[in-house]
Amino acid sequence: MGKASGLLLFLLAFGFFVVTYNLLTLIVHNRSRVGDDTNGGTVLDPIVQMPDNMRKMKSSRPRFHVALTATDAPYNKWQCRIMYYWYKQKKDIPGSDMGGFTRILHSGNPDNLMDEIPTFVVDPLPPGLDRGYVVLNRPWAFVQWLEKANIKEDYVLMAEPDHIFVNPLPNLASGSYPAAFPFFYITPQKYESVVRKYYPEDMGPVTNIDPIGNSPVIIRKESLEKIAPTWMNISIRMKNDPETDKAFGWVLEMYGYAIASALHGVRHILHKDFMLQPPWDLSTKGKFIIHYTYGCDYNMKGELTYGKIGEWRFDKRSHLQGPPPRNLSLPPPGVPESVVTLVKMVNEATANIPNWDNL
Ligand SMILES: *[C@@H]1O[C@H](CO)[C@@H](O)[C@H](O)[C@H]1NC(C)=O
Ligand SMILES: *[C@@H]1O[C@H](CO)[C@@H](O)[C@H](O)[C@H]1NC(C)=O
Ligand SMILES: *[C@@H]1O[C@H](CO)[C@@H](O)[C@H](O)[C@H]1NC(C)=O
């Protein structure tokens, strides 16, 4: 009785807030960034006249801690090394609000990157609980880290190993509104009957659920402290429910975060510029994080051959057992700037990270 009625009371309490937030329409971020000249050089913000270092000093945006969840698998490790390398390159550039960095290692034991990357080791879920779906460990990792670590910043960026900081990332959150990237394939309305198992009707319409996952998200630590345990519970319940597991598949834990945050009445500012995903997004201009989750396959004429192995290719999944070699060949002419930049950034990182091939 204790647990179930406790959870019910908890849901009812948050119902009050959620009703309030029902009135809130989806906020899509559309603020000209300082120094952004994507409108053909027309910059309306007079602050752009300031020298870069002044601009940074005047910035009232609070810094955020970069939290990267990862395992000790070789496939995760090489991505984390590149990710951390680019964090260090971009952290102190004007426009960045990046603070400290932590790799939250959720495989339970220290590994051989402890000296290279600031790392906090947490426990994995008890054996069997993740049912082979290793990303269920992410919410549990955040619960443990938030509880035990001493985090200086008030905000946290939840990041993943296949993220590369391509431009200095500002704190895109605004007060208690976290910032997130909208994913076209997260569609709570399409799965209303499944979603209602976790987000009961008295909480409001399913459109209260943002089309997001937990990453990338910049969020206040105190909000994440509330959301993370719910995110964990919901994700585990979802994984144990065959209908939900089948409906959501590999994005189950993204729905878990989206629904958990809605249960707590938290709505996200949706930033399309937060991230770009080659090969679909063609340019890195004005964007902040390259997410290299899709394979990039091209023929020698520079034409995309998606779904068919290209004469030229870059695909993280070609390197499941260990790191890609240094100095990957650049794509043929005609390939979008986003893909060229990705490969150049991978090459720059691997050229400069000591013991790249033989750690
Ligand atoms: C942002 O605002 C500008 C001008 O106000 C408008 O032209 C543009 O379409 C808006 N972009 C988005 C994504 O809403
Ligand atoms: C999550 O589940 C555990 C175990 O069932 C329970 O003790 C805890 O209170 C739950 N937390 C939340 C936030 O629902
Ligand atoms: C990288 O590879 C290119 C050929 O693809 C070669 O010309 C170049 O010298 C190599 N650079 C390094 C640093 O090995």
Side-chain angles (χ1 to χ4, degrees):
M1 167 190 143
K3 266 176 199 164
S5 55
L7 184 62
L8 188 65
L9 269 178
F10 164 84
L11 293 179
L12 287 175
F14 275 98
F16 167 75
F17 294 104
V18 168
V19 168
T20 315
Y21 278 104
N22 278 347
L23 303 169
L24 193 81
T25 50
L26 208 67
I27 303 165
V28 177
H29 176 79
N30 191 10
R31 182 181 62 184
S32 293
R33 276 184 317 281
V34 173
D36 183 353
D37 67 351
T38 48
N39 319 318
T42 338
V43 180
L44 303 174
D45 193 333
I47 293 175
V48 81
Q49 305 289 336
M50 265 196 265
D52 280 349
N53 54 350
M54 284 280 290
R55 199 190 299 161
K56 197 170 160 198
M57 276 161 50
K58 285 268 173 181
S59 160
S60 57
R61 289 181 312 233
R63 289 183 175 271
F64 57 86
H65 196 94
V66 178
L68 168 64
T69 45
T71 73
D72 60 4
Y75 178 59
N76 254 224
K77 278 185 187 165
W78 67 258
Q79 295 173 32
C80 287
R81 298 179 85 190
I82 295 174
M83 204 278 186
Y84 182 59
Y85 174 88
W86 282 109
Y87 155 80
K88 287 189 292 180
Q89 305 309 305
K90 303 292 180 182
K91 174 185 186 301
D92 294 322
I93 296 181
S96 155
D97 295 318
M98 292 194 260
F101 186 104
T102 302
R103 178 178 63 134
I104 308 174
L105 182 62
H106 55 72
S107 30
N109 294 300
D111 65 4
N112 58 354
L113 292 180
M114 305 298 291
D115 294 333
E116 182 174 316
I117 308 177
T119 299
F120 193 91
V121 179
V122 297
D123 291 328
L125 290 168
L129 203 58
D130 69 359
R131 292 172 174 258
Y133 182 63
V134 74
V135 294
L136 271 194
N137 284 287
R138 276 184 204 153
W140 177 221
F142 277 109
V143 169
Q144 296 172 78
W145 177 64
L146 289 164
E147 199 173 286
K148 295 182 196 156
N150 177 18
I151 308 153
K152 239 175 44 201
E153 298 82 359
D154 286 334
Y155 288 81
V156 170
L157 164 70
M158 292 187 274
E160 288 176 11
D162 58 357
H163 288 174
I164 290 181
F165 295 110
V166 64
N167 286 306
L169 177 59
N171 187 345
L172 301 171
S174 185
S176 59
Y177 290 100
F181 176 79
F183 288 91
F184 71 90
Y185 53 78
I186 301 294
T187 52
Q189 304 93 293
K190 210 176 118 190
Y191 296 105
E192 173 141 15
S193 65
V194 175
V195 165
R196 281 301 187 201
K197 295 185 182 182
Y198 312 93
Y199 192 76
E201 251 168 70
D202 59 351
M203 297 299 290
V206 291
T207 48
N208 284 349
I209 300 164
D210 294 326
I212 60 171
N214 80 293
S215 180
V217 163
I218 300 177
I219 186 167
R220 261 203 166 134
K221 210 164 49 186
E222 59 186 47
S223 299
L224 188 57
E225 277 164 359
K226 290 186 195 130
I227 293 169
T230 312
W231 171 27
M232 173 178 159
N233 278 15
I234 287 192
S235 304
I236 293 171
R237 275 169 58 206
M238 285 177 160
K239 191 67 195 165
N240 286 326
D241 181 67
E243 189 195 6
T244 311
D245 192 24
K246 184 156 175 279
F248 294 159
W250 62 278
V251 295
L252 179 139
E253 143 284 356
M254 294 175 74
Y255 276 99
Y257 176 81
I259 294 173
S261 53
L263 284 171
H264 287 276
V266 173
R267 297 301 301 264
H268 296 69
I269 307 170
L270 304 180
H271 286 262
K272 280 189 97 64
D273 293 345
F274 205 154
M275 196 161 82
L276 74 141
Q277 309 195 86
W280 310 116
D281 297 310
L282 307 181
S283 165
T284 62
K285 196 172 157 105
K287 310 271 171 88
F288 300 109
I289 294 174
I290 299 179
H291 183 211
Y292 56 99
T293 192
Y294 298 103
C296 299
D297 285 276
Y298 291 87
N299 63 25
M300 286 324 213
K301 287 186 261 173
E303 294 160 345
L304 186 67
T305 63
Y306 193 75
K308 185 168 157 261
I309 293 190
E311 294 166 87
W312 181 92
R313 69 180 329 219
F314 176 72
D315 187 338
K316 66 173 183 176
R317 292 175 188 81
S318 311
H319 309 283
L320 294 172
Q321 309 304 330
R326 282 176 162 154
N327 198 20
L328 296 169
S329 70
L330 291 178
V335 168
E337 178 270 324
S338 61
V339 178
V340 177
T341 301
L342 166 61
V343 177
K344 285 184 173 167
M345 291 182 87
V346 169
N347 281 347
E348 184 180 327
T350 62
N352 289 299
I353 296 172
N355 304 317
W356 175 254
D357 300 308
N358 54 11
L359 195 73

